[in-house]
Amino acid sequence: GRVDEDRGRKELMAKTLKITLVKSTIGEKPKTKATVETLGLRKIRQSVERPDTPDVRGLIYRARHLLDVEEV
């Protein structure tokens, strides 16, 4: 039951995503710029590691054309 669900969720969250900004945010919509900033990215070729959670995946999806993502 419930214990199994919690155990499965923790295994999924253990994964980490390495996110790299590969294109400039110049000319992008303010919402997209804010999304990149929220991920903690400011400069091109800067990388951050974030947990693999649905909310982080949503941020990545919004700015997917500017980012490079790999699982760590």
Side-chain angles (χ1 to χ4, degrees):
R2 189 172 176 105
V3 175
D4 293 333
E5 288 176 20
D6 289 345
R7 197 173 292 137
R9 198 171 294 129
K10 285 178 185 167
E11 285 176 15
L12 287 175
M13 288 187 185
K15 288 185 183 173
T16 306
L17 297 173
K18 183 178 179 185
I19 307 161
T20 308
L21 184 62
V22 293
K23 279 186 78 179
S24 173
T25 57
I26 293 173
E28 291 296 328
K29 295 176 183 174
K31 205 168 187 178
T32 307
K33 284 185 179 186
T35 301
V36 171
E37 186 88 9
T38 300
L39 285 167
L41 296 166
R42 293 174 180 270
K43 299 181 176 186
I44 295 176
R45 280 185 256 117
Q46 180 185 1
S47 295
V48 294
E49 289 192 2
R50 295 283 176 259
D52 188 1
T53 58
D55 52 336
V56 172
R57 287 276 182 174
L59 291 170
I60 292 169
Y61 185 80
R62 160 87 57 198
R64 63 193 179 279
H65 56 291
L66 305 175
L67 304 173
D68 188 32
V69 182
E70 37 185 296
E71 288 186 4
V72 179

